[in-house]
Amino acid sequence: MTFAGSGVVCWFRLPAPGNPEYEALALRERSLGVRQTPVTNSTVEQQRAAAIKDAFTFAFNGYFTTCEGQDELEPVNNTCTNPRNNWGASAVDALSTALVMEIQPIVTEIVNYISTIDYTTTATEVSLFETTIRYMAGMLSGYDLLTGPLSNLSTNASAVDSLLTQSKSLADSLKFAFNTSTGIPSNNLYFTNQSTDGSTTNGLAAIGTLCLEWQRLSDLTNDSSYGDLAQKAEAYLLTPQPYSPFPGLLGTNVNISTGQFVDAIGGWNGGDDSFYEYLIKMYVYDSSRYSNYSARWTLAADSTIQYLTSHPSSRPDLTFLASYDNTIFVNASEHLTCFDGGNFLLGGSVLGRQDYIDFGLTLVDGCHDLYNATLTGIGPETFSWNTTGVNATNSAFYEANGYYITDPIYDLRPEVIESFYYAYRITGNTTYQDWAWDAFVAINATTRVGNGFSEISDVNAPNGGSFENVQESFLFAEVMKYSYLIHAPESIFQVASNGSTNQFVFNTEAHPLKVVGPPV
């Protein structure tokens, strides 16, 4: 069959659950390496990319047909929900993926829709962090791509311009969050009366994952005020007080009024993760302005290798990152944390440090094991290798796999595939393409339902347990994009490989933003 827009005639596509071919593909022939006639590697890549593009189109059309103007589709019963302020989160988050896949009809639909959003009003609580990484970054990325390498997909110049004006409108609505004595923002906001939820602290990731998007907005609008707001808050993280548990590794919660950390609990898990991620990505964005960020990332990376590297007693061949409470280590982690391998790989690549690349690859291997060990071929939300938690119920699983599951859900998270993507781009080893394909086929086999994909209750239960009827917008922004790009042709927005330099940098929601400094 021919996939729309691909120009590739392809006999292969992913079947939906219920199709007679489903079990054979999902359980016995996850890789396109199993086939009747030999094909070239380039053909395999084309077939895989086309199948993923088809899955994205299926899910986006399922969402947009029913829920245009609303945030998410509930795929089990085909209803709509609005956890992201009723501004159409799934559409905005999907734009950059539709662009890199070059699906012009969907690009046009989304761009035209974005121009109609009123970012000045919402009746529900607004997360500064989530709104920045999903909405603002999605629009800025769309603008960078449509005014740059994918300008051929633009059919309405004024609608493309609105991506930037809407980003500015959103930032203007959000910026009262920074009106504090220190400039550290409150995260939970109410637009109706420009108030906050009254929290006295904000988290490391929530503060430290604004600098890239707000600086990009400043650079595009020639208005330094946006980046200055984020940089003022970031300064408290770059020079942490009163102390750090380990050099470069910080606590989690910061007092908004004083700028001081109120705990020494942390690591690379959710709540802390993207602060470290953005240290090296700010350097990629502008290596001349933000060399100090790379130095801070190096300090954190070295401490991570020295102090947080952990090997399960039952599987010492595996490497995970422990977290910490002061100087007490906690042998537990999360699916979210599996971005860590990709981040070390990016850092090693742009800094010319093979040791960071090698360490990143060991982390990628560990996260691959999370997927290999379960009945569905998908990793759990949280897991542990703390031997005090091993019991009669989980001991056999722990002995075989080096971890036991502490929360078995899967809510369409991208981090494992994300790290496979970086591993492939930076090493060129096609094994990581195969791993990403295996993961995507497992996700399609287990989570696809109705007109979309759903969170599942248990990755180690037959058929994933039950459908939780939640389809987060990052399915479109991240899972689909990383799964596609690892098989897609070379392009300017891909992570650099083979000695080239990065012309774009991905934000934490996988939205590519144009690099402005000397490329690294």
Side-chain angles (χ1 to χ4, degrees):
M1 64 172 294
T2 302
F3 289 89
S6 69
V8 177
V9 177
C10 174
W11 52 265
F12 180 84
R13 74 181 285 171
L14 292 172
N19 185 301
E21 302 172 48
Y22 171 90
E23 291 298 327
L25 172 66
L27 301 180
R28 295 197 301 272
E29 298 180 359
R30 284 187 177 168
S31 171
L32 275 171
V34 180
R35 57 180 65 85
Q36 294 180 344
T37 56
V39 295
T40 64
N41 285 339
S42 61
T43 302
V44 170
E45 291 171 344
Q46 290 173 10
Q47 291 171 344
R48 290 176 176 180
I52 294 160
K53 184 175 177 179
D54 186 65
F56 170 85
T57 302
F58 155 77
F60 182 81
N61 288 341
Y63 153 74
F64 205 68
T65 299
T66 303
C67 301
E68 179 180 355
Q70 300 189 68
D71 291 336
E72 295 174 5
L73 173 73
E74 295 175 316
V76 174
N77 54 4
N78 207 41
T79 55
C80 307
T81 186
N82 289 291
R84 300 289 168 208
N85 309 109
N86 203 1
W87 291 324
S90 291
V92 181
D93 239 1
L95 175 58
S96 63
T97 304
L99 279 163
V100 301
M101 290 181 176
E102 299 192 39
I103 310 174
Q104 188 171 47
I106 292 179
V107 170
T108 300
E109 282 184 319
I110 297 174
V111 171
N112 289 341
Y113 164 71
I114 287 173
S115 66
T116 70
I117 300 172
D118 183 359
Y119 282 121
T120 67
T121 182
T122 179
T124 55
E125 183 179 272
V126 179
S127 166
L128 175 64
F129 166 77
E130 295 287 357
T131 304
T132 293
I133 67 171
R134 300 191 199 211
Y135 284 108
M136 187 186 297
M139 293 186 293
L140 292 173
S141 177
Y143 184 81
D144 275 342
L145 292 169
L146 282 167
T147 59
L150 298 175
S151 60
N152 60 299
L153 297 178
S154 171
T155 59
N156 183 337
S158 63
V160 172
D161 290 341
S162 76
L163 294 173
L164 183 56
T165 57
Q166 286 285 62
S167 298
K168 185 178 184 300
S169 173
L170 179 58
D172 289 340
S173 294
L174 291 168
K175 66 183 180 183
F176 76 88
F178 296 90
N179 292 339
T180 64
S181 58
T182 57
I184 293 173
S186 298
N187 187 65
N188 301 321
L189 313 174
Y190 299 97
F191 282 11
T192 50
N193 58 359
Q194 296 232 321
S195 65
T196 74
D197 67 349
S199 296
T200 59
T201 62
N202 198 356
L204 179 63
I207 301 167
T209 316
L210 306 172
C211 48
L212 178 58
E213 295 86 352
W214 286 69
Q215 189 59 54
R216 184 67 188 134
L217 180 60
S218 274
D219 290 340
L220 285 170
T221 60
N222 294 313
D223 182 346
S224 64
S225 65
Y226 301 109
D228 289 348
L229 289 172
Q231 294 296 328
K232 183 177 181 180
E234 185 84 11
Y236 289 92
L237 311 181
L238 298 176
T239 55
Q241 299 296 326
Y243 71 98
S244 300
F246 305 98
L249 296 176
L250 313 184
T252 294
N253 293 296
V254 181
N255 185 296
I256 293 171
S257 297
T258 67
Q260 295 203 335
F261 281 83
V262 300
D263 62 42
I265 299 169
W268 289 66
N269 294 342
D272 303 314
D273 45 3
S274 46
F275 162 70
Y276 300 106
E277 176 186 358
Y278 272 29
L279 291 176
I280 196 63
K281 288 185 173 181
M282 285 299 287
Y283 173 69
V284 176
Y285 176 67
D286 191 334
S287 59
S288 59
R289 271 189 291 181
Y290 300 114
S291 60
N292 61 318
Y293 279 69
S294 69
R296 293 288 293 137
W297 183 86
T298 299
L299 187 64
D302 289 345
S303 285
T304 297
I305 294 171
Q306 181 175 352
Y307 299 109
L308 304 187
T309 301
S310 184
H311 306 289
S313 61
S314 64
R315 288 285 305 276
D317 57 306
L318 298 178
T319 301
F320 298 130
L321 293 186
S323 53
Y324 51 84
D325 185 344
N326 285 284
T327 54
I328 298 172
F329 297 110
V330 180
N331 289 338
S333 192
E334 305 171 351
H335 195 291
L336 280 163
T337 312
C338 281
F339 86 97
D340 53 8
N343 197 241
F344 268 86
L345 284 155
L346 177 64
S349 175
V350 300
L351 297 174
R353 291 284 299 268
Q354 187 64 41
D355 54 338
Y356 293 151
I357 291 174
D358 292 342
F359 185 71
L361 292 174
T362 67
L363 297 176
V364 172
D365 289 345
C367 289
H368 178 239
D369 187 68
L370 297 181
Y371 275 51
N372 264 357
T374 68
L375 289 178
T376 61
I378 304 170
E381 177 74 356
T382 63
F383 62 98
S384 178
W385 58 103
N386 184 344
T387 54
T388 62
V390 176
N391 55 42
T393 302
N394 60 29
S395 61
F397 189 94
Y398 174 70
E399 289 301 319
N401 302 304
Y403 75 94
Y404 53 91
I405 296 169
T406 52
D407 184 348
I409 72 162
Y410 173 69
D411 69 348
L412 309 176
R413 292 203 185 278
E415 292 80 16
V416 172
I417 298 175
E418 173 184 353
S419 283
F420 293 164
Y421 170 69
Y422 279 91
Y424 170 66
R425 292 297 302 172
I426 288 166
T427 69
N429 187 337
T430 58
T431 294
Y432 301 112
Q433 289 181 305
D434 295 336
W435 288 1
W437 176 249
D438 290 348
F440 188 83
V441 171
I443 291 165
N444 180 78
T446 312
T447 72
R448 185 165 171 165
V449 61
N451 291 318
F453 295 79
S454 172
E455 175 184 325
I456 54 173
S457 65
D458 191 342
V459 297
N460 204 37
N463 302 313
S466 60
F467 294 115
E468 300 297 285
N469 205 22
V470 176
Q471 180 179 269
E472 285 264 13
S473 68
F474 49 68
L475 167 76
F476 298 107
E478 301 186 77
V479 173
M480 296 290 182
K481 184 182 290 100
Y482 287 126
S483 297
Y484 174 79
L485 285 179
I486 197 170
H487 303 296
E490 195 64 43
S491 60
I492 193 172
F493 43 76
Q494 292 265 28
V495 167
S497 64
N498 299 324
S500 61
T501 55
N502 290 282
Q503 307 299 313
F504 281 75
V505 60
F506 289 81
N507 93 315
T508 195
E509 194 83 356
H511 295 303
L513 299 171
K514 183 175 172 56
V515 165
V516 299
V520 292

